[in-house]
Amino acid sequence: MSDMEAVVASAGPSGEAPTQPKHASSKKSKPRSLAADAWLDLRKSKIFWVASILVVIITLMALVPGLFGAGDPRECFLSRQFDGASGNAFFGYDYQGCDVYAKTIYGARNSLLVSLFATVISGIIGLMFGLSAGYFGGWVDAVLSRFIDVVLGIPFLLAAIVMAKRLSADPESNGVLAVTLTLGVLGWTTAARIMRSSVIASKNQDYVAAARMLGSGPARLMMRHILPNSTASFIVVLTLLLGANIASEATLSFLGIGLKNNAISWGIAISEASPQARVEAMPLVWPSLFLAATVLAFIMLGDAIRDAFDPKLR
């Protein structure tokens, strides 16, 4: 059989040349980024969706408390002291005759706002220290790292009590700004150390060396090349810190040095209900449950994001 006959024999009955397999002509799929891979993992995570739903509900409580049918938390009458749950007050009334459900719903606003802005302050400080220490190295890294260790060695609760009490010395202050600054200034050390480690790993990559050879300065290298590739772990730490700040604000408010002057928060509600817990426990139980659920939601969300961005856990 000649070469031409072999070609004809291999063709179909109509004499057409054999077609190529479909997979050979199909376009190759584009490589996914780390964020795309993480999102695919998050979509399959039940923990992520449960935590996200809880966070959305808590955020709506803080932004639009009237959406949940809560009344006026400051409308209190001693005539309804410790009355049980009803259609007007789902969680009953406390020892001052205040609606426990309304205080619980409205308490989410201050607790969430304080923790959110405190986390932003901690994130900015941690970003500056971690980025500078990791990029410049040498004596800059040594000085900044030792300073981070010093701040990390200060007992958090003791420092928070002293600082919050000093900042809220004004009797007319409601303590929101004082607690926000206290938590923000004291809570940045872990974020700074994580950012430093990520920057050290990123600055030795080939794309950074190529950008440096093309004439990029330190500011451009840090902002355009190193920082975008070093924020995954940093964001996870801030998510976990957000939940920790909610618990810290409640702790300071419970001790009487956090929010005050008719401010509404879960810590204050727990503090006010604690002495009467043996008489009526529900005014203590409900804000405690909402506080625990909120902290747990942010911790679960941070854990889910960490697992999705960590290649070793896949």
Side-chain angles (χ1 to χ4, degrees):
M1 181 182 294
S2 63
D3 295 338
M4 182 61 69
E5 292 174 343
V7 173
V8 174
S10 62
S14 60
E16 297 178 355
T19 58
Q20 297 291 333
K22 292 183 179 180
H23 62 81
S25 59
S26 61
K27 295 182 179 179
K28 295 183 179 179
S29 59
K30 295 182 180 180
R32 292 193 301 265
S33 62
L34 177 61
D37 287 336
W39 172 239
L40 290 178
D41 290 340
L42 287 174
R43 289 170 57 183
K44 303 174 183 178
S45 174
K46 296 180 180 179
I47 295 179
F48 170 75
W49 288 113
V50 171
S52 298
I53 293 173
L54 288 175
V55 169
V56 170
I57 294 175
I58 295 163
T59 303
L60 288 175
M61 287 170 52
L63 296 178
V64 194
L67 184 65
F68 295 85
D72 187 355
R74 293 185 174 88
E75 189 179 70
C76 306
F77 300 98
L78 290 176
S79 59
R80 58 190 188 188
Q81 182 183 54
F82 293 137
D83 285 353
S86 63
N88 296 325
F90 298 142
F91 297 163
Y93 298 92
D94 61 8
Y95 76 105
Q96 291 180 329
C98 303
D99 186 349
V100 177
Y101 176 75
K103 292 178 67 174
T104 303
I105 296 298
Y106 277 86
R109 175 174 295 177
N110 281 330
S111 298
L112 197 61
L113 285 179
V114 168
S115 61
L116 178 62
F117 284 107
T119 304
V120 171
I121 295 174
S122 297
I124 294 174
I125 299 175
L127 179 65
M128 293 172 57
F129 274 80
L131 187 59
S132 301
Y135 179 79
F136 293 106
W139 68 269
V140 176
D141 183 23
V143 171
L144 294 180
S145 296
R146 297 296 76 77
F147 180 74
I148 294 173
D149 293 338
V150 170
V151 177
L152 192 61
I154 300 175
F156 177 81
L157 184 58
L158 178 60
I161 292 174
V162 174
M163 190 172 179
K165 192 172 183 178
R166 182 66 185 88
L167 292 176
S168 60
D170 186 1
E172 297 182 358
S173 172
N174 60 2
V176 173
L177 180 60
V179 176
T180 301
L181 292 177
T182 298
L183 298 180
V185 170
L186 296 178
W188 57 272
T189 51
T190 302
R193 298 178 74 175
I194 294 297
M195 174 55 69
R196 173 183 174 272
S197 301
S198 300
V199 171
I200 291 175
S202 298
K203 75 174 184 179
N204 296 320
Q205 299 297 322
D206 293 338
Y207 59 86
V208 177
R212 186 181 290 110
M213 292 178 62
L214 292 174
S216 297
R220 183 178 179 83
L221 286 174
M222 286 190 290
M223 295 296 120
R224 294 291 300 275
H225 301 284
I226 296 178
L227 184 59
N229 295 282
S230 305
T231 55
S233 300
F234 184 73
I235 293 175
V236 172
V237 171
L238 293 184
T239 305
L240 297 172
L241 181 61
L242 185 58
N245 282 338
I246 294 175
S248 299
E249 179 274 323
T251 301
L252 294 177
S253 298
F254 178 82
L255 295 175
I257 54 177
L259 305 188
K260 55 185 180 180
N261 288 349
N262 294 325
I264 301 174
S265 78
W266 290 327
I268 294 177
I270 294 172
S271 177
E272 292 176 346
S274 295
Q276 290 79 28
R278 292 187 176 182
V279 179
E280 180 60 46
M282 288 300 102
L284 173 64
V285 170
W286 287 114
S288 301
L289 288 177
F290 274 73
L291 174 63
T294 302
V295 175
L296 181 62
F298 282 103
I299 292 177
M300 290 169 56
L301 183 62
D303 286 341
I305 296 175
R306 180 198 60 193
D307 294 345
F309 276 95
D310 192 349
K312 298 179 182 178
L313 299 178
R314 294 179 183 172

